[in-house]
Amino acid sequence: MLSPLFLGILVQCVSTVQQVTQTRWNTGTNPPETDCHTMAAVSNIISMEKMETVYIIYDGEQDTCLYKLTGNLTHRTKVQFMGEDTFQDDLTSVIDDLVQHGNIDMMRRTLNVVLSCSARCIQQALVTGLELDMKVGKQSVLRHFSKWILIPNDNTGIAVTNLTMDNVILLTDNKNTTIKEVATLLWAKEGRQWDILDRGSTISLNNSTVYPNTRFGLNGRKLIVVALEWKPFSVKERDSGIVTYSGISGEYMDYLSKSFNFSYKYIEPPDKLWGHKTEDGNWTGIVGLLQREEADMCSVPYAFNIERAEVMEFTYPVLMEYSTVIYKTSQDESKIWKVLISCFKWEVYIVGVVVMLTVGLLHVCLLKSTPDPSKDGRIMKNSVSSGGLLMGIMPPLNQASVDIPMFDSGRMLFSCWWLFCLIMTAIYRGNLMAFLTVSRTVVPFRTLEELANQDVYDIGAPVGSYLSLAIMSSNQTTLKKIWKKIQQTHAVGPKSGDADYVYQLQRLHEGYFAYMQSNVASDVIMNGTCSLAKMKEAFLPTVSSMTFPLHSPMARLFHSKVLSVMDTGLYPKWYGKWVPTQESCSDKSIDVGVSTLHVHDYYSALAACAVGVSVASMVLLGETYLFQIMPRRNIASLTDT
């Protein structure tokens, strides 16, 4: 429940920026009496706006009129009279309490101030309110959510040129002409100007919109938005030297600016970093700007964690996803040099040789044990020597045999063996065609554990990102290994966020580099190229939101509109606009049959021919030596003898 001092302090919050230096409170001496008929208009305004709490600052000459005002109000409206000496301290406490609760509806219902004193008193109250709004009100609480009623009891004007409070009413009473006037302060292209609601001997506001600025959101306020490039949400653009950002976040900003009537300009953190916590508890980069309230918001989604939540305010999530690892694919080098023997695994070749030798031995055994009276020793000798093991070797090599078994048992064995060889040969030919026409991609790792245990690929992650922070602070053994490799990459790379991003992308396209990124960002990086691939395992689920300075009422104000983006289907539309569908990376020639073969596809066959020629040449040299050179030497030695 709000204290009476709280209410009194709030009255002085409405501010004129004309005076920035604080002066001593002085309401003047012996002000003239105010006609109590003005208080009837004040009572009418309070009832029309359904104000639950009203804070009043007044001078001592108006006790009777103010008590009459409180008597005309309903029991639902609480009136608090504020003390001049404790105004600043009490108002600070009130604003701080409202900021901590973050309830915008409560701010609108309770931040209602009546200033009924001299023009100088009112002016000083406005200046004090402006200063407090900048210090503890996040530059928004009093500016957008409070309502002010100014009742000067003298004829001195009130400066409003630099007044930033949206909702201000001025009631004046000319004692000489008995003419009363009610005016509301509007925003115009030329600055602030008064719009007269009613004027005359009596005031009637029954059909008037007393605070029209409440219908126009932030009333054209210019917000400072901090951002860095993070495609597809934040795409950096330059227009005449001015940095702007488009992308999905740009769509969000355009949508919010139209809904709440504000403009914005982009800035970047001087260090070009997303932000990490330093030893003294402060933050660098974008998080540091929000921590120091040097920016009104960040348009790029930030993943939520406890440390960030201590210095930033998060709105409704705009992105829910996982992280992944992308890398450049590489072709299987065995296709070039081992294609002839890569069609089968080595176990298949061993089994084939064993079966071939077994069939040969069985054929020899059948030749010896067949009970046919027509066989003689000469036939047995020739059959065993020429048709034994060769009968098992020839079919897989020639798919035929010149010699046919003489006996039925041998022919049955030979038929089964030949059928087996035909099937295996057909499979081999099919695999060979597939190896030559379809590219085979090497998958270096499928899980984080495999990534951590390999030494071929370097590992990188965006500097200062949530992904880097999560891996750095993890207690898992696998992530600790990965973080050590990420540190090695960061040690040799640029320290700036933008330069580091470019550097790691370059390493990625060069090859043998694993780049850890969010799933959405990796889709953009991989779009338009077929040389990159994702790791099969997804990890580290994240929920990301636009961020604001801690306890900023803007986060709560924008909450419903950000939620409506999901409900109305705008987000899928924006996502499809900025993340085009990945085209198929399949070779188009495969769709119509067989792809074109290149010279390197024949390297293994040429290598086999080269080996055959080399072996044949060596055999030829050996035969030449044995059958020509050696006999000639023997003859020459005999002749000499």
Side-chain angles (χ1 to χ4, degrees):
M1 186 172 178
L2 300 177
S3 65
L5 291 177
F6 161 108
L7 300 175
I9 294 176
L10 198 53
V11 176
Q12 295 182 351
C13 283
V14 177
S15 69
T16 298
V17 188
Q18 184 178 9
Q19 291 183 337
V20 180
T21 58
Q22 183 176 354
T23 60
R24 177 174 294 182
W25 187 276
N26 185 1
T27 61
T29 59
N30 300 323
E33 290 189 7
T34 300
D35 187 355
C36 291
H37 289 92
T38 305
M39 292 302 170
V42 175
S43 176
N44 190 18
I45 293 172
I46 293 174
S47 300
M48 290 172 56
E49 295 297 320
K50 299 179 180 180
M51 299 179 180
E52 294 185 3
T53 305
V54 179
Y55 308 101
I56 300 177
I57 291 182
Y58 71 103
D59 56 28
E61 300 295 331
Q62 299 175 345
D63 290 348
T64 303
C65 295
L66 290 175
Y67 280 115
K68 184 180 294 186
L69 168 65
T70 57
N72 293 334
L73 299 177
T74 64
H75 67 281
R76 296 181 180 178
T77 302
K78 299 177 182 178
V79 177
Q80 300 272 349
F81 294 95
M82 301 184 66
E84 298 176 5
D85 54 343
T86 60
F87 169 74
Q88 185 171 353
D89 293 338
D90 290 346
L91 184 58
T92 300
S93 176
V94 169
I95 297 175
D96 186 65
D97 184 66
L98 289 173
V99 168
Q100 293 293 329
H101 284 84
N103 191 324
I104 293 179
D105 291 336
M106 179 183 291
M107 296 177 188
R108 288 171 172 162
R109 295 193 308 266
T110 60
L111 287 177
N112 307 296
V113 184
V114 176
L115 299 177
S116 180
C117 55
S118 67
R120 182 178 180 182
C121 162
I122 293 174
Q123 199 81 62
Q124 182 62 37
L126 297 176
V127 172
T128 304
L130 173 63
E131 293 175 351
L132 293 178
D133 198 38
M134 296 181 65
K135 291 179 180 178
V136 296
K138 309 299 179 180
Q139 304 181 41
S140 301
V141 174
L142 294 178
R143 178 170 183 168
H144 301 300
F145 308 119
S146 64
K147 295 176 182 177
W148 299 78
I149 302 175
L150 311 182
I151 313 173
N153 56 21
D154 53 28
N155 296 325
T156 306
I158 299 175
V160 296
T161 304
N162 298 318
L163 190 62
T164 59
M165 306 302 178
D166 286 340
N167 309 307
V168 180
I169 288 178
L170 177 66
L171 283 79
T172 58
D173 184 6
N174 192 323
K175 307 298 185 301
N176 299 325
T177 61
T178 68
I179 298 298
K180 301 177 180 61
E181 185 177 272
V182 178
T184 184
L185 191 59
L186 301 179
W187 289 94
K189 293 181 179 180
E190 300 79 12
R192 304 305 297 270
Q193 65 181 23
W194 294 105
D195 180 49
I196 299 176
L197 300 178
D198 195 14
R199 184 178 185 182
S201 58
T202 60
I203 297 176
S204 177
L205 300 173
N206 293 331
N207 297 322
S208 302
T209 302
V210 181
Y211 295 104
N213 291 334
T214 57
R215 300 180 300 176
F216 301 106
L218 300 183
N219 290 283
R221 177 180 174 181
K222 192 169 189 175
L223 300 182
I224 298 176
V225 181
V226 61
L228 285 173
E229 187 168 48
W230 187 60
K231 298 178 180 178
F233 274 85
S234 184
V235 181
K236 189 174 183 178
E237 298 178 352
R238 288 187 178 272
D239 184 11
S240 302
I242 300 176
V243 176
T244 60
Y245 285 88
S246 57
I248 299 177
S249 293
E251 302 284 356
Y252 267 103
M253 291 305 302
D254 290 343
Y255 177 73
L256 292 174
S257 65
K258 293 176 181 177
S259 300
F260 292 101
N261 185 27
F262 67 87
S263 61
Y264 55 92
K265 71 172 183 178
Y266 285 104
I267 64 171
E268 295 178 337
D271 53 13
K272 307 295 184 182
L273 295 176
W274 296 104
H276 62 270
K277 194 173 184 179
T278 58
E279 294 180 356
D280 59 1
N282 294 319
W283 287 73
T284 62
I286 290 179
V287 182
L289 289 179
L290 295 178
Q291 182 187 29
R292 298 186 297 272
E293 299 184 8
E294 297 175 9
D296 294 306
M297 64 179 295
C298 173
S299 60
V300 187
Y302 260 75
F304 177 88
N305 67 7
I306 296 177
E307 285 188 328
R308 288 177 173 176
E310 293 175 351
V311 295
M312 295 193 305
E313 196 75 26
F314 291 80
T315 187
Y316 186 83
V318 300
L319 178 64
M320 290 170 280
E321 62 166 355
Y322 287 84
S323 298
T324 186
V325 179
I326 52 180
Y327 58 91
K328 186 177 182 180
T329 58
S330 60
Q331 299 296 325
D332 190 355
E333 295 181 357
S334 64
K335 175 182 176 180
I336 299 176
W337 297 106
K338 302 177 183 179
V339 65
L340 293 179
I341 61 175
S342 297
C343 296
F344 291 136
K345 291 187 176 181
W346 62 270
E347 296 92 343
V348 177
Y349 289 111
I350 293 177
V351 171
V353 171
V354 171
V355 173
M356 180 178 64
L357 295 176
T358 303
V359 170
L361 292 176
L362 286 175
H363 187 257
V364 172
C365 294
L366 288 176
L367 288 175
K368 291 183 178 181
S369 60
T370 299
D372 193 322
S374 63
K375 66 180 181 180
D376 53 30
R378 182 180 59 82
I379 296 176
M380 284 291 300
K381 182 179 179 180
N382 293 335
S383 298
V384 171
S385 60
S386 62
L389 295 177
L390 291 179
M391 193 66 69
I393 297 175
M394 295 303 294
L397 298 179
N398 296 333
Q399 299 185 24
S401 177
V402 177
D403 299 324
I404 300 177
M406 299 177 58
F407 311 111
D408 294 338
S409 58
R411 291 174 180 174
M412 292 294 295
L413 177 64
F414 182 78
S415 298
C416 294
W417 173 237
W418 195 6
L419 180 61
F420 174 80
C421 292
L422 287 175
I423 295 174
M424 295 302 296
T425 303
I427 296 174
Y428 180 87
R429 292 178 63 184
N431 285 349
L432 180 61
M433 181 180 295
F435 270 75
L436 292 174
T437 57
V438 179
S439 299
R440 296 184 63 194
T441 301
V442 177
V443 180
F445 42 80
R446 290 179 173 83
T447 63
L448 285 178
E449 185 175 359
E450 293 180 4
L451 176 64
N453 294 329
Q454 57 82 39
D455 296 322
V456 178
Y457 283 72
D458 294 332
I459 306 176
V463 175
S465 65
Y466 171 77
L467 184 58
S468 295
L469 296 176
I471 296 174
M472 178 182 64
S473 58
S474 175
N475 293 323
Q476 296 183 17
T477 303
T478 299
L479 294 181
K480 286 183 178 180
K481 292 181 180 178
I482 292 176
W483 177 243
K484 289 182 179 180
K485 297 184 178 182
I486 292 176
Q487 285 182 308
Q488 295 174 0
T489 301
H490 288 172
V492 298
K495 306 306 178 185
S496 171
D498 288 346
D500 173 75
Y501 177 76
V502 174
Y503 168 75
Q504 297 202 49
L505 282 186
Q506 182 181 355
R507 290 285 310 275
L508 174 65
H509 289 285
E510 289 175 355
Y512 298 101
F513 186 79
Y515 188 41
M516 308 182 78
Q517 258 290 6
S518 67
N519 193 56
V520 173
S522 64
D523 286 343
V524 176
I525 295 173
M526 296 174 61
N527 188 48
T529 177
C530 294
S531 61
L532 302 178
K534 287 183 185 180
M535 186 179 72
K536 184 176 181 180
E537 181 185 36
F539 60 97
L540 195 63
T542 56
V543 177
S544 303
S545 310
M546 288 187 290
T547 53
F548 302 78
L550 189 64
H551 301 309
S552 171
M554 295 295 179
R556 185 60 61 90
L557 181 66
F558 292 167
H559 182 91
S560 60
K561 284 297 180 181
V562 174
L563 177 59
S564 70
V565 170
M566 296 292 184
D567 295 340
T568 57
L570 285 174
Y571 179 79
K573 177 183 177 181
W574 296 341
Y575 188 89
K577 176 181 177 181
W578 292 99
V579 185
T581 303
Q582 176 76 14
E583 295 182 359
S584 176
C585 289
S586 300
D587 192 338
K588 295 181 179 180
S589 60
I590 296 178
D591 297 335
V592 297
V594 181
S595 63
T596 304
L597 298 179
H598 302 281
V599 175
H600 61 77
D601 293 321
Y602 295 96
Y603 283 173
S604 58
L606 295 175
C609 292
V611 172
V613 171
S614 300
V615 173
S617 299
M618 295 177 63
V619 172
L620 178 61
L621 292 175
E623 291 177 342
T624 301
Y625 179 79
L626 291 175
F627 297 109
Q628 292 186 1
I629 298 177
M630 287 295 295
R632 290 176 183 176
R633 289 182 177 179
N634 293 334
I635 293 174
S637 61
L638 291 174
T639 302
D640 294 339
T641 303

